[in-house]
């Protein structure tokens, strides 16, 4: 034992040493990973701090925002991080109000923004707001531009700022740009980037390429400075050809845009020279939108592949530079143009596009179901027209389906029996249905103005002075809760006027909140009435069971005395009886036996209803069971009444019968007694016992009585149903009810059917082994 203990201690020490080494190794590895993570975090913070911008992050309401980046880039000489949030101290008043309003929209409604604001020292600050992972992030970066006094000799009192010019240039469909005072690009629009990609120009380090070289830019700046106003000039480009430029000065820089070159045939020697637009080919061929260019003689000078495919025209024919009139006539012949009653008048109006000075848009509804938005724009310097055919078919189909869907949703919402209200993140009502107005007595015109939830609470307080304002004040806490982890809630509102509402608050994916109200006052009243009635029925049923049990037990004691004294009189120990006295005594004994049996049946049914009835299965002898039932039947016919003749047929090779013997005797007795009651005195009653397969035994009792009508057979199994058919006795209606109850306890079935020409057959089918059936039932 000592050696074993020493060995066990040694093994334990070795295991402890091993586990400690593993724990130290894991701790060391964790420390290395933590150190690497901290180093990476420090590196990221250093990178952010080195960037020439300031990032402000609001992770949650009520918590101070995090400020990352060098504050000195925005506020020279300032060291306080949160000084950047004091907008009025370093921004112009209008810019401070605008940035504060945009920040409020970002944090409350999630509305992103990108704008430029002017600092008090004249610098242009670029501000960008986004939602990142549920946090509001604002980036502030100096653009390098400053607001300076107007150019020398300018007649303007104030030059536009770069931010104002950018807002305009961003919407242009022609190349446009912004430059600082040194002539370097600080902004380009989408059309400029597309134009440079078409020319094959690439910028350095991801920046936009400049279409002009340094000497050309210096010449442009010198011309702007000399003119001190907007200038227009033509610049020959090596790749794009002749470009028509428009340049105008800004405070702290300049801006400009150019018209794209358009190709056209060379004029004859005796014609006036027109601008060369051949370089437009490369531009429009890359576009998926159908485009066609016609000169002032209405001849096709250029088109792209999308144009030929859209109209299904032969490319070889288009290369012959046909007249636009010929193209329209061919399209009409092919059934491609809009159906017009006066085609010549329609064509004449369309060809007036060559007199346009500004672009014109006209929708064409084509016979094949397509819709084209035809944009006709004058080709500057050529006198021709540029046509752009936008296929609006899919867009219109989407809009139609969207409108239909919105209409269906609106009608569905209005038809709901529930009151529906959808609130935005700012607490204002975005959507509602008429049922909401009915439930809370709110005017529809007031709800249509998108009121705040506080206004709705005040209106409900006027409509329901007792608790209207309090209810909506409680609901407000669930609506304006911006916690991203909040869950849907539901409950019941018991209004002071007696109305009951089931409400549900559901958070929508876009951050809005939907609230529904269902008036359940009527159903709640029905539920309360049904509950009270059910409780009354349960109490009555319990009282009935108690009454039956008490009466049964109370009747048993005097009945025992009656039976005892009747037996004493019949025995002759108290003296001889006359024939009439003996007949009366036999009637007393028979009636007492019937009454005792009835009481036993009532007690058995009460035991079954209480759920405490139990079976005692054992191996039984079927002939013995039948003899006990016959003896009970003979006892009920004492007193000179002629009994029925009972014949018994038992098949051979019956399976071993396992059941509760007492219950089976009661079943057989009630079957025989019921047959005797509906048979004439002295008639025959037959009991047949046969096997139904290897696992079931059938007991069939037949009589030649008046029979049971088919409409009364189902009632024969109900308790306390007095039989109204003609027979010797009617009884209390418990015989077949006892049979059905005990047979069901054994897992068997009872069938009742009529016999021809008269009589009834009652068949009881029981499992041969009731113990197995009982276990399966449990």
């Amino acid at each position: 034992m000592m050696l074993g203990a020493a060995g066990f201690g040694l093994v334990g020490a070795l295991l402890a040493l091993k586990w400690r080494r593993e724990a130290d190794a894991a701790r060391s590895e964790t420390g290395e990973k933590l150190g690497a993570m901290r180093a990476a975090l420090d590196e990221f913070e250093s990178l952010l701090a080195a960037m020439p911008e300031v990032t402000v992050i609001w992770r949650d309401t009520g918590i101070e925002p995090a400020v990352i980046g060098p504050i000195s880039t925005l506020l020279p000489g300032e060291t306080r991080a949160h000084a950047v949030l004091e907008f009025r101290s370093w921004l112009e008043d209008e810019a401070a109000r605008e940035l504060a309003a945009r920040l409020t929209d970002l944090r409350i409604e999630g509305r992103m923004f990108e704008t430029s604001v002017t600092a008090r020292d004249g610098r242009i600050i670029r501000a960008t707001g986004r939602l990142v992972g549920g946090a509001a992030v604002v980036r502030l970066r100096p653009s390098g531009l400053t607001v300076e006094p107007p150019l020398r000799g300018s007649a303007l009192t104030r030059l536009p700022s770069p931010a104002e010019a950018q807002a305009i240039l961003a919407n242009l469909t022609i190349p446009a740009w912004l430059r600082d005072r040194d002539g370097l690009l600080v902004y380009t629009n989408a059309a400029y980037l597309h134009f440079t990609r078409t020319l094959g120009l690439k910028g350095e380090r991801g920046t936009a390429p400049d279409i002009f070289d340094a000497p050309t830019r210096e010449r442009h700046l010198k011309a702007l400075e000399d003119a001190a106003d907007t200038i227009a000039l033509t610049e020959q480009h090596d790749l794009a050809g002749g470009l028509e430029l428009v340049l105008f000065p800004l405070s702290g820089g300049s801006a400009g845009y150019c018209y794209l070159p358009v190709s056209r045939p060379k004029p004859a020697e005796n014609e006036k020279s027109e601008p060369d637009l051949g370089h437009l080919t490369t531009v429009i061929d890359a576009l998926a939108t159908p485009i066609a260019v016609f000169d002032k003689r209405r001849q096709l000078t250029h088109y792209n592949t999308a144009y030929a495919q859209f109209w299904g025209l032969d490319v070889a024919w288009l290369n012959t530079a046909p007249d636009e009139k010929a193209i329209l006539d061919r399209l009409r012949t092919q059934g491609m143009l809009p159906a017009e009653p006066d085609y010549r008048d329609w064509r004449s109006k369309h060809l007036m596009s060559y007199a346009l000075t500004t672009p014109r848009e006209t929708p064409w509804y084509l016979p094949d179901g397509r819709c084209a938005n035809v944009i006709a724009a004058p080709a500057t310097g050529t006198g021709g027209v540029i046509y752009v055919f936008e296929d609006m078919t899919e867009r219109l189909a989407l809009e139609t389906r969207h409108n239909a869907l919105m209409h269906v949703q609106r009608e569905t919402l209005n038809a709901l029996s529930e009151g529906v209200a959808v609130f935005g993140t700012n607490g204002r009502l975005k959507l509602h249905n008429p049922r909401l107005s009915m439930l809370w007595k709110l005017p529809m015109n007031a709800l249509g103005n998108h009121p705040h939830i506080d206004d709705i609470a005040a209106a409900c307080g006027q409509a329901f002075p007792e608790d209207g304002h309090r209810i909506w004040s409680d609901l407000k806490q669930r609506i304006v809760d911006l916690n991203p982890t909040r869950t849907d809630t539901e409950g019941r509102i018991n209004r002071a006027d007696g109305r009951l509402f089931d409400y549900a608050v559901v958070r929508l994916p876009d951050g809005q909140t939907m609230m529904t109200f269902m008036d359940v006052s009527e159903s709640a009243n029905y539920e309360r009435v049904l509950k009270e009635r059910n409780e009354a029925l349960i109490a009555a049923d319990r009282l009935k069971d108690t009454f039956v049990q008490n009466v049964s037990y109370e009747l048993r004691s005097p009945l025992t005395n009656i039976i005892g004294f009747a037996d004493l009189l019949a025995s002759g120990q108290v003296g001889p009886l006359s024939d009439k006295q003996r007949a009366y005594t036999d009637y007393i004994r028979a009636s007492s036996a019937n009454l005792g049996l009835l009481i036993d049946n009532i007690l058995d049914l009460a035991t079954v209803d209480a759920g405490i009835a139990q079976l005692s299965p054992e191996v039984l002898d079927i002939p013995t069971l039948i003899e006990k039932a016959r003896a009970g039947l003979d006892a009920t016919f004492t007193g000179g009444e002629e009994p029925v003749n009972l014949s018994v047929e038992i098949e051979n090779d019956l399976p071993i019968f396992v059941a509760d013997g007492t219950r089976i005797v009661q079943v057989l007795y009630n079957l025989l007694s019921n047959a005797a009651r509906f048979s004439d005195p002295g008639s025959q009653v037959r009991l047949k016992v046969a096997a139904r397969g290897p696992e079931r035994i059938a007991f069939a009792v037949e009589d030649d009585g008046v029979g049971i009508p088919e409409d009364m057979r189902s009632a024969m199994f109900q308790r306390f149903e007095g039989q109204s058919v003609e027979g010797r006795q009617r009884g209390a209606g418990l015989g077949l009810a006892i049979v059905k109850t005990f047979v069901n306890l054994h897992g068997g079935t009872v069938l009742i059917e009529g016999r021809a020409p008269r009589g009834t057959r009652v068949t009881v089918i029981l499992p041969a082994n009731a113990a197995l059936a009982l276990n399966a039932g449990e």
Side-chain angles (χ1 to χ4, degrees):
M1 292 178 63
M2 294 178 62
L3 291 176
F8 179 77
L10 180 60
V11 172
L14 292 176
L15 290 176
L17 181 60
K18 177 183 177 181
W19 292 338
R20 181 174 180 181
R21 290 179 178 176
E22 291 177 354
D24 292 340
R27 190 181 301 108
S28 177
E29 183 180 359
T30 303
E32 291 177 358
K33 291 182 178 180
L34 181 60
M37 293 173 63
R38 289 177 176 173
L41 180 60
D42 293 340
E43 182 179 357
F44 291 150
E45 290 181 352
S46 300
L47 290 175
L48 287 176
M51 294 293 291
E53 65 179 21
V54 176
T55 303
V56 187
I57 304 173
W58 285 267
R59 292 185 174 86
D60 201 352
T61 57
I63 300 178
E64 289 292 331
V67 181
I68 303 174
I71 304 300
S72 57
T73 58
L74 298 178
L75 305 176
E78 183 62 59
T79 58
R80 296 180 299 114
H82 288 78
V84 71
L85 300 178
E86 301 172 1
F87 298 141
R88 294 186 179 276
S89 64
W90 60 282
L91 291 178
E92 295 287 346
D93 294 340
E94 183 64 26
R97 285 193 295 269
E98 178 187 0
L99 185 57
R102 300 240 182 178
L103 180 58
T104 302
D105 293 341
L106 173 66
R107 296 183 61 190
I108 295 180
E109 299 184 2
R111 188 180 302 170
M112 299 179 290
F113 66 89
E114 185 174 352
T115 185
S116 298
V117 294
T118 305
R120 292 190 179 275
D121 56 1
R123 290 179 302 156
I124 304 300
I125 307 299
R126 192 67 182 165
T128 304
R130 294 287 187 273
L131 286 179
V132 181
V137 180
V138 175
R139 298 170 55 194
L140 302 172
R141 180 188 183 96
S143 65
L145 300 178
T146 57
V147 178
E148 295 181 353
L151 295 176
R152 177 176 76 251
S154 174
L156 300 175
T157 58
R158 176 183 177 275
L159 291 176
S161 67
E164 295 171 339
Q166 178 179 338
I168 299 175
L169 299 181
N171 297 320
L172 294 182
T173 58
I174 58 177
W177 59 86
L178 289 177
R179 300 183 184 275
D180 59 13
R181 64 167 61 92
D182 297 326
L184 299 179
L185 287 177
V186 294
Y187 170 75
T188 58
N189 64 357
Y192 180 95
L193 295 177
H194 181 75
F195 181 53
T196 54
R197 284 196 299 268
T198 304
L199 297 179
L201 300 177
K202 296 183 179 180
E204 297 181 358
R205 298 180 182 178
T207 60
D210 202 321
I211 59 177
F212 301 114
D213 54 15
T216 303
R217 295 196 300 268
E218 293 178 0
R219 189 172 68 254
H220 292 170
L221 293 179
K222 184 65 169 60
L224 272 177
E225 184 177 358
D226 294 340
D229 202 348
T230 301
I231 60 175
L233 58 110
T234 301
E235 187 70 42
Q236 188 66 29
H237 195 275
D238 295 337
L239 298 177
L243 298 177
E244 294 186 4
L245 306 181
V246 176
L247 307 177
F248 52 91
L250 300 175
S251 57
S254 63
Y257 58 88
C258 69
Y259 292 102
L260 296 177
V262 181
S263 63
R264 57 171 295 175
K266 293 184 178 181
E269 294 181 357
N270 58 349
E271 293 182 358
K272 185 179 179 180
S273 178
E274 295 179 354
D276 183 12
L277 304 180
H279 294 282
L280 184 61
T281 303
T282 308
V283 179
I284 68 174
D285 277 344
L287 300 178
T289 303
I291 297 177
V293 182
F294 294 86
D295 60 14
K296 63 183 179 182
R297 294 182 299 274
R298 300 179 183 175
Q299 290 183 335
L300 180 66
T301 60
H302 191 80
Y303 66 93
N304 58 2
T305 305
Y307 174 80
Q309 293 177 350
F310 184 81
W311 293 111
L313 296 173
D314 183 21
V315 175
W317 182 70
L318 291 176
N319 290 335
T320 62
D323 184 83
E324 184 182 5
K325 181 179 178 181
I327 295 177
L328 293 176
D329 292 341
R330 173 170 289 198
L331 292 177
R332 180 174 182 266
T333 303
Q334 296 176 354
M336 301 290 290
L337 291 181
E340 293 289 341
D342 190 348
Y343 168 70
R344 294 182 180 274
D345 182 66
W346 175 85
R347 185 183 62 183
S348 299
K349 292 180 180 179
H350 171 72
L351 294 178
M352 292 178 63
S353 301
Y354 293 88
L356 294 176
T357 57
T358 57
R360 180 187 67 183
E361 296 186 14
T362 307
W364 286 9
Y365 299 98
L366 306 182
D368 58 0
R370 294 181 298 171
C371 177
N373 184 34
V374 182
I375 303 175
T380 305
T382 68
V385 179
I386 301 176
Y387 290 107
V388 179
F389 301 89
E390 291 182 331
D391 191 351
M392 306 293 292
T393 308
E394 184 176 356
R395 176 180 173 183
L396 291 178
L398 290 175
E399 290 181 355
T400 301
R401 289 196 295 267
H402 173 74
N403 293 335
L405 179 60
M406 293 300 296
H407 177 72
V408 171
Q409 291 179 346
R410 188 181 304 107
E411 293 299 326
T412 303
L413 187 66
N414 293 339
L416 290 177
S417 60
E418 298 177 328
V420 179
V422 178
F423 292 89
T425 55
N426 58 353
R428 289 193 171 274
L429 183 66
K430 299 294 185 181
L431 185 66
H432 66 282
N433 64 346
R435 183 63 175 170
L436 179 71
S437 174
M438 295 174 58
L439 294 178
W440 293 100
K441 298 181 180 179
L442 299 173
M444 288 294 293
N445 56 351
L447 296 178
N449 295 329
H450 306 291
H452 193 272
I453 188 172
D454 291 335
D455 300 330
I456 297 178
C460 289
Q462 296 178 359
F464 305 96
E466 297 85 355
D467 55 355
H469 189 275
R470 177 187 59 80
I471 292 175
W472 277 90
S473 297
D474 295 340
L475 295 176
K476 175 184 176 182
Q477 304 301 322
R478 297 176 174 86
I479 294 175
V480 301
D481 185 7
L482 299 180
N483 186 358
T485 61
R486 67 173 182 167
T487 58
D488 300 342
T489 59
E490 58 183 16
R492 173 166 291 186
I493 297 174
N494 189 355
R495 212 164 59 186
D497 60 352
R499 308 302 295 179
L500 293 178
F501 296 151
D502 280 346
Y503 74 89
V505 180
V506 181
R507 184 181 184 186
L508 301 180
D510 57 356
Q512 299 187 110
T513 303
M514 181 179 69
M515 179 172 293
T516 61
F517 300 92
M518 172 65 77
D519 190 348
V520 295
S521 304
E522 301 297 333
S523 60
N525 292 335
Y526 292 149
E527 180 182 358
R528 182 172 61 254
V529 171
L530 291 176
K531 185 177 180 180
E532 293 175 354
R533 182 168 297 181
N534 184 59
E535 292 176 352
L537 291 176
I538 293 175
D541 187 66
R542 189 182 301 113
L543 180 61
K544 184 239 345 176
D545 293 340
T546 303
F547 172 77
V548 170
Q549 293 179 12
N550 291 338
V551 170
S552 299
Y553 281 112
E554 293 295 332
L555 289 177
R556 180 174 294 277
S557 297
L559 181 61
T560 302
N561 295 333
I562 294 173
I563 294 174
F565 286 116
D567 291 341
L568 181 61
L569 292 175
S571 66
Q573 296 182 8
V574 295
L577 299 177
S578 63
D579 294 339
K580 196 170 187 178
Q581 290 175 337
R582 185 172 297 277
Y584 289 162
T585 302
D586 290 339
Y587 279 121
I588 293 174
R589 293 174 64 194
S591 299
S592 300
N594 289 333
L595 182 58
L597 180 62
L598 178 61
I599 293 174
D600 290 339
N601 289 340
I602 293 175
L603 291 177
D604 289 337
L605 291 177
T607 303
V608 172
D609 292 341
I612 59 177
Q614 296 182 352
L615 299 180
S616 301
E618 58 182 343
V619 179
L620 302 176
D621 181 57
I622 294 178
T624 304
L625 298 176
I626 295 175
E627 288 301 323
K628 291 182 178 180
R630 184 201 296 269
L633 180 64
D634 293 340
T636 60
F637 286 94
T638 59
E641 187 178 7
E642 183 179 356
V644 297
N645 296 322
L646 177 64
S647 64
V648 179
E649 298 180 13
I650 303 176
E651 288 186 356
N652 297 326
D653 300 330
L654 292 176
I656 298 176
F657 189 35
V658 179
D660 189 328
T662 303
R663 305 302 188 190
I664 298 300
V665 170
Q666 287 180 273
V667 169
L668 295 176
Y669 167 77
N670 281 284
L671 288 176
L672 297 174
S673 175
N674 186 74
R677 294 179 190 279
F678 289 95
S679 300
D680 296 331
S683 61
Q684 188 175 18
V685 175
R686 291 170 294 278
L687 172 60
K688 298 180 181 180
V689 183
R692 292 289 182 90
E695 298 180 355
R696 305 188 79 81
I697 299 176
F699 297 84
V701 177
E702 299 177 350
D703 63 68
D704 298 327
V706 295
I708 302 175
E710 185 176 356
D711 57 346
M712 293 183 57
R713 291 173 187 172
S714 60
M716 298 298 294
F717 295 103
Q718 299 179 8
R719 303 175 186 181
F720 305 107
E721 287 288 340
Q723 291 85 5
S724 60
V725 295
E726 182 181 357
R728 182 177 299 183
Q729 291 185 10
R730 295 181 180 179
L734 290 179
L736 291 182
I738 286 290
V739 171
K740 184 176 180 65
T741 300
F742 289 153
V743 169
N744 290 342
L745 283 177
H746 282 80
T749 57
V750 182
L751 302 176
I752 183 170
E753 54 187 342
R755 299 177 63 246
R758 56 180 289 167
T760 305
R761 178 188 295 112
V762 181
T763 304
V764 173
I765 303 175
L766 295 171
N769 192 337
L772 297 179
L774 181 62
N775 294 335
E778 292 177 354

